[in-house]
Amino acid sequence: MNTNTLEYIVEQLKNNLHKIDSDENNEILKAEQAVGICSTMLLELREYVDHLDFKSKEEEIRFFKEIKSYVLGEYLYYSKLWEILIRQPVTSIRRRKKYLRQMIAETQKFFNENTEFYLYYRSGATHFDEKYFVRTEISCTLNCSRFIYDPFFSTSHDYTLAAIKSNEKIAVYCNDELNKLKRWGKFRLVRSDMTWSLTKRDLMLIVYGLYYTDAINKGNDVSIKDLVKGFESLFNVGLSGYYHIFYEAIQRQQPFEYLDQMKETLSRLKEESDENKRQKRRSRK
């Protein structure tokens, strides 16, 4: 088994996932692309195992405990993340909070059902590694798929370890999203049936303007993605591909027409207010 080649495969996967995270704004598409990349990497690993023999049990243990469990864990994580993203409620913050809490409860249920092995993994123990991560004639799990139930590419616990890593990441993601919603909820005192009436381009000009002028949290601990999600929830509008919406807006012949219109409207209101004040002063004389 060429260890350097395997390490290259894992490093390549990490780089590809990082590139997707940087280049793709749509979270659902990002998860879909990540699943595809992880699937391809798992097939490559399967080919290596099929054609090469492990030189020792230690090498086999390292492959199934560290290499395969990492790649499979990423595959399971992005598969579950995609499911969460397409199923999550978008009608209200309260329902989204409830949904995320349910997802967190599911991860905890998995840990509870696998307590013994979870503690073994978390403690860093190795004394049962040969039992857990070396293939035998009856190596299998209760979960069946091309990557999970394959006696030549599976041990008794490599899938369980990958699922643990996946569930840990899902729990972190859901808790992070829940905390964001809690912060938004503190300031959201408006009804949830409001809808944005103008173009998405107009709204994205406002979002990017707020972001790049550090108008929210003084520019700290807030991202474009956070603002987009907040405006999506506030005005019941979908802003997937928001970078492209903004880029399209600023490429137009009159990109800031709406902002100019807003400025003119507010200036007119100021003039009317000033005139009303003058009239009131004259009427008191």
Side-chain angles (χ1 to χ4, degrees):
M1 177 68 65
N2 191 327
T3 303
N4 291 332
T5 301
L6 290 175
E7 290 177 347
Y8 171 77
I9 289 176
V10 172
E11 192 63 30
Q12 187 179 26
L13 173 60
K14 291 179 180 179
N15 292 336
N16 288 339
L17 292 176
H18 178 72
K19 188 174 187 304
I20 290 174
D21 189 54
S22 302
D23 295 347
E24 180 58 61
N25 294 318
N26 185 302
E27 294 298 313
I28 294 177
L29 291 179
K30 186 185 297 184
E32 287 179 354
Q33 292 176 22
V35 169
I37 289 176
C38 293
S39 177
T40 299
M41 288 296 178
L42 282 167
L43 288 172
E44 289 188 28
L45 291 180
R46 179 63 177 83
E47 286 297 312
Y48 278 108
V49 172
D50 211 19
H51 292 92
L52 296 173
D53 293 327
F54 294 105
K55 296 177 181 179
S56 63
K57 287 185 178 180
E58 288 73 22
E59 191 176 80
E60 184 173 358
I61 289 170
R62 179 176 179 273
F63 174 81
F64 286 106
K65 186 177 182 179
E66 298 178 18
I67 306 293
K68 184 196 170 185
S69 70
Y70 167 73
V71 180
L72 180 57
E74 293 296 288
Y75 173 83
L76 295 174
Y77 166 69
Y78 284 105
S79 298
K80 184 62 178 180
L81 179 61
W82 179 84
E83 181 183 341
I84 290 173
L85 291 170
I86 64 171
R87 292 179 180 273
Q88 68 176 346
V90 296
T91 54
S92 72
I93 288 180
R94 181 182 61 82
R95 293 183 65 182
R96 289 175 67 186
K97 285 181 180 178
K98 180 179 179 181
Y99 177 75
L100 289 168
R101 291 189 184 101
Q102 289 174 343
M103 295 301 100
I104 293 171
E106 285 186 13
T107 64
Q108 187 58 53
K109 180 181 178 183
F110 174 83
F111 296 141
N112 292 341
E113 290 174 346
N114 295 275
T115 301
E116 184 177 347
F117 182 70
Y118 184 56
L119 293 175
Y120 178 85
Y121 157 70
R122 289 300 299 269
S123 69
T126 60
H127 54 283
F128 287 140
D129 278 4
E130 187 171 331
K131 172 184 176 183
Y132 292 149
F133 301 111
V134 172
R135 294 166 297 175
T136 66
E137 294 182 0
I138 58 171
S139 291
C140 67
T141 68
L142 296 178
N143 305 79
C144 298
S145 80
R146 58 179 173 166
F147 299 131
I148 298 169
Y149 180 55
D150 182 342
F152 297 103
F153 192 52
S154 302
T155 69
S156 64
H157 282 72
D158 69 328
Y159 171 81
T160 305
L161 178 56
I164 285 174
K165 294 179 178 180
S166 168
N167 275 284
E168 286 180 334
K169 292 186 67 173
I170 288 294
V172 169
Y173 170 83
C174 290
N175 274 304
D176 286 346
E177 291 299 303
L178 194 57
N179 288 331
K180 290 178 184 178
L181 290 176
K182 288 178 180 178
R183 290 198 296 271
W184 278 104
K186 290 180 180 178
F187 303 100
R188 182 167 180 177
L189 302 176
V190 296
R191 63 184 190 271
S192 61
D193 60 344
M194 295 189 300
T195 58
W196 180 254
S197 303
L198 303 180
T199 68
K200 294 180 181 180
R201 293 190 298 270
D202 294 334
L203 183 55
M204 286 313 304
L205 288 174
I206 295 175
V207 172
Y208 271 81
L210 291 171
Y211 178 75
Y212 282 106
T213 57
D214 293 338
I216 311 299
N217 292 350
K218 296 181 179 180
N220 300 317
D221 193 31
V222 65
S223 66
I224 286 288
K225 185 191 301 185
D226 294 331
L227 291 178
V228 166
K229 287 185 177 181
F231 276 91
E232 283 181 325
S233 177
L234 180 62
F235 294 125
N236 291 290
V237 60
L239 295 172
S240 60
Y242 51 84
Y243 172 77
H244 299 290
I245 296 174
F246 174 70
Y247 183 78
E248 179 185 321
I250 61 176
Q251 295 302 310
R252 293 170 66 84
Q253 189 172 2
Q254 294 180 306
F256 308 115
E257 182 179 4
Y258 172 61
L259 297 180
D260 292 338
Q261 179 185 346
M262 182 187 293
K263 181 180 178 180
E264 290 173 5
T265 301
L266 293 174
S267 296
R268 187 171 62 253
L269 290 173
K270 179 182 183 303
E271 292 173 1
E272 292 175 356
S273 176
D274 291 342
E275 179 60 28
N276 288 334
K277 289 179 181 178
R278 285 193 291 269
Q279 290 179 359
K280 287 181 179 180
R281 284 198 297 269
R282 285 196 294 267
S283 65
R284 287 197 296 265
K285 292 182 179 178

